[in-house]
Amino acid sequence: EQAYVFTRRSRTVERIPASIPVTDEQLDDVPAIEDFLNQALGGDIVRRLDLQCYAGNGTTPNLAGITDHADIQTQAKGADPVPDAVYKAMTLVEVTGRAVPNAVVFHPTDWQDVRLLRTADGIYIWGNPSEVGPEFIWGLRVAKSDAQTLNTAVVGDWANYSLLAVKRGIEVQTTNSHGTFFKENLTAIRAERRLALAVYRPEAFHAITAMQTP
């Protein structure tokens, strides 16, 4: 028979907005401009969410990102090659975090250094350049994000110990009642999404820092 002790925690649902003014003439005369702006604003929100999930400081209107949790494990790469440092982080997630790592997040520039690793004979370790390279390391899926801090990677059990709670999907609204927009023939297009990020066990994540040398 197991016994679990739960501690109440709360995370504020935050909104991620993006907006742009557009003239009435543009809406009338430029084909598909409204659809383009709606799509572009939605993409801006996704990129902002990407940053917030990693580095948000938890102060409204920012989400509390993974690195905002003081209890995540952190260790410098040191003299280890990056693959060795990743494997050691996986082990710490398993042993200290009591979790099973399922993905690692790299900055694209850091993953580039790994992807271009070669043997002393000049053979690419991650596969021939003429072939589609594997986006995996030690069996973990690699997620690339420029929101990730350069020279840092985060290994974690994302599937089981983090949750992106979506209160409301992307909604797009328009109005000309902002400020002097009505008399200036301007319309504001605003896209917005409301979410919260919960991390159930910070120890299930491990940040590898100081990865300047692969």
Side-chain angles (χ1 to χ4, degrees):
E1 179 178 338
Q2 298 285 67
Y4 295 96
V5 177
F6 293 92
T7 302
R8 178 175 293 183
R9 296 285 186 268
S10 64
R11 285 295 180 189
T12 303
V13 177
E14 304 288 2
R15 67 185 189 93
I16 301 178
S19 63
I20 190 171
V22 59
T23 66
D24 294 347
E25 289 80 8
Q26 284 177 310
L27 293 174
D28 286 340
D29 301 340
V30 181
I33 187 65
E34 186 171 1
D35 290 339
F36 169 79
L37 292 175
N38 290 347
Q39 182 178 12
L41 291 175
D44 291 338
I45 288 176
V46 170
R47 284 186 288 274
R48 180 66 180 173
L49 175 61
D50 192 26
L51 173 63
Q52 290 290 302
C53 284
Y54 172 73
N57 61 14
T59 301
T60 299
N62 298 322
L63 296 175
I66 292 293
T67 57
D68 182 57
H69 295 77
D71 294 334
I72 70 168
Q73 303 185 67
T74 303
Q75 185 170 312
K77 181 183 77 66
D80 290 328
V82 169
D84 291 28
V86 170
Y87 197 88
K88 290 180 178 180
M90 292 168 58
T91 302
L92 287 171
V93 168
E94 292 173 347
V95 175
T96 305
R98 306 298 297 168
V100 180
N102 44 51
V104 53
V105 181
F106 277 90
H107 188 283
T109 302
D110 292 327
W111 179 245
Q112 169 187 269
D113 293 338
V114 175
R115 185 68 178 84
L116 297 180
L117 285 174
R118 290 185 286 182
T119 66
D121 298 326
I123 299 173
Y124 287 99
I125 295 174
W126 254 257
N128 194 290
S130 64
E131 302 171 355
V132 178
E135 299 294 299
F136 291 89
I137 184 168
W138 299 115
L140 299 186
R141 180 71 185 179
V142 172
K144 294 179 288 183
S145 172
D146 59 5
Q148 173 74 289
T149 302
L150 191 63
N151 300 321
T152 302
V154 177
V155 177
D157 188 343
W158 309 85
N160 295 307
Y161 293 106
S162 67
L163 172 67
L164 185 63
V166 179
K167 179 69 172 180
R168 191 171 68 207
I170 295 178
E171 293 185 352
V172 180
Q173 297 177 324
T174 61
T175 182
N176 62 359
S177 61
H178 173 68
T180 59
F181 276 19
F182 180 76
K183 68 178 182 179
E184 294 174 356
N185 286 347
L186 289 172
T187 296
I189 301 178
R190 185 188 71 185
E192 185 176 273
R193 191 176 190 184
R194 297 186 67 223
L195 317 99
L197 179 66
V199 176
Y200 300 130
R201 186 182 293 175
E203 295 84 357
F205 299 88
H206 189 290
I208 307 165
T209 61
M211 296 200 308
Q212 291 88 342
T213 303

